[in-house]
Amino acid sequence: AQRVTQPEKLLSVFKGAPVELKCNYSYSGSPELFWYVQYSRQRLQLLLRHISRESIKGFTADLNKGETSFHLKKPFAQEEDSAMYYCALSIYNQGGKLIFGQGTELSVKP
Amino acid sequence: DAGVTQSPTHLIKTRGQQVTLRCSPKSGHDTVSWYQQALGQGPQFIFQYYEEEERQRGNFPDRFSGHQYPNYSSELNVNALLLGDSALYLCASSSRLLGTGFGETQYFGPGTRLLVL
């Protein structure tokens, strides 16, 4: 079955340090991958998606089909990056269904 | 545009009761998806509605049903509530530009928190 795994429930870093939030997926075809973010007391919102190849708020993510990974990276973390991050997978023959990972809570300390 | 709206924000029910949750999609969107998010977990897909029909369904029992109206708003109904149905229920809307729903960005509402006692 298709699955998304985020191995870290909590990631704690200091301001200015690099950040990498890991996401691995299990799917043999061509996926579409997303990172969603939920800031405190806000709704879940899209951070970035694989197909657009954008850099949002300094975050980037590269799809590695060989390692079936879509890790989220930022070179210098900011305190306002503290939030819950979810990786999600969309599969062609399953229409609009999104398969989410369990989420990683990022805490950026001053 | 208020974005995706959901009502009510909170709800308390007892086991065996039935509940209806409501969702209005973002302006211009025609597709509504529902997700269940248990505490400490990521959202789990329940089903998706497009053109007033259920198009995709996740691994949820028939106690979970839905409806979409001509104005694209949607309802999620849960019958015979169990304690395990306690969760945050999220509605997400999107636009079927690509035809299948695959790869489309979904915009989420604030959720309805359901507590079953």
Side-chain angles (χ1 to χ4, degrees):
Chain A
Q2 297 90 9
R3 181 177 294 180
V4 174
T5 303
Q6 295 178 249
E8 303 130 333
K9 285 195 83 101
L10 173 64
L11 186 62
S12 185
V13 301
F14 286 102
K15 178 183 172 181
V19 170
E20 183 179 49
L21 290 87
K22 291 183 167 54
C23 171
N24 289 92
Y25 65 91
S26 59
Y27 175 55
S28 56
S30 292
E32 179 57 37
L33 284 147
F34 303 79
W35 276 99
Y36 278 84
V37 61
Q38 187 168 28
Y39 301 102
S40 179
R41 298 189 189 88
Q42 294 187 28
R43 64 184 66 189
L44 202 57
Q45 58 186 285
L46 178 71
L47 179 63
L48 57 78
R49 50 184 295 176
H50 154 243
I51 198 168
S52 60
R53 299 185 181 278
E54 292 174 301
S55 172
I56 307 294
K57 299 185 179 183
F59 284 98
T60 59
D62 289 318
L63 176 60
N64 186 322
K65 288 187 178 181
E67 296 183 358
T68 59
S69 68
F70 188 57
H71 302 330
L72 183 68
K73 300 178 184 178
K74 184 170 183 176
F76 308 104
Q78 302 299 315
E79 289 180 66
E80 55 265 30
D81 295 329
S82 295
M84 199 72 190
Y85 291 80
Y86 294 95
C87 181
L89 168 68
S90 178
I91 295 171
Y92 180 74
N93 65 351
Q94 294 187 21
K97 173 182 177 179
L98 284 178
I99 301 168
F100 282 87
Q102 288 194 310
T104 297
E105 182 182 355
L106 174 64
S107 174
V108 182
K109 300 183 188 308
Chain B
D1 180 18
V4 179
T5 60
Q6 291 186 242
S7 63
T9 55
H10 295 82
L11 207 49
I12 300 175
K13 292 285 187 178
T14 56
R15 279 180 299 173
Q17 285 189 311
Q18 178 263 343
V19 69
T20 297
L21 310 182
R22 296 178 175 82
C23 171
S24 291
K26 185 177 165 64
S27 177
H29 286 182
D30 55 11
T31 303
V32 173
S33 304
W34 286 93
Y35 293 83
Q36 181 194 66
Q37 186 173 22
L39 206 58
Q41 304 293 318
Q44 270 199 293
F45 178 79
I46 303 175
F47 42 54
Q48 183 179 80
Y49 276 83
Y50 170 67
E51 291 187 330
E52 302 179 50
E53 289 188 19
E54 184 183 292
R55 301 291 179 165
Q56 287 284 332
R57 190 177 182 93
N59 293 327
F60 280 81
D62 292 345
R63 298 186 298 108
F64 290 77
S65 63
H67 189 80
Q68 186 180 35
Y69 294 93
N71 68 352
Y72 309 121
S73 67
S74 176
E75 289 179 353
L76 164 66
N77 299 292
V78 187
N79 294 322
L81 284 166
L82 303 174
L83 296 179
D85 295 332
S86 295
L88 181 67
Y89 288 86
L90 296 170
C91 169
S93 74
S94 56
S95 181
R96 279 217 171 194
L97 296 174
L98 301 178
T100 65
F102 166 67
E104 289 162 352
T105 298
Q106 297 186 18
Y107 293 80
F108 284 81
T112 294
R113 188 162 296 283
L114 173 64
L115 177 61
V116 182
L117 300 176

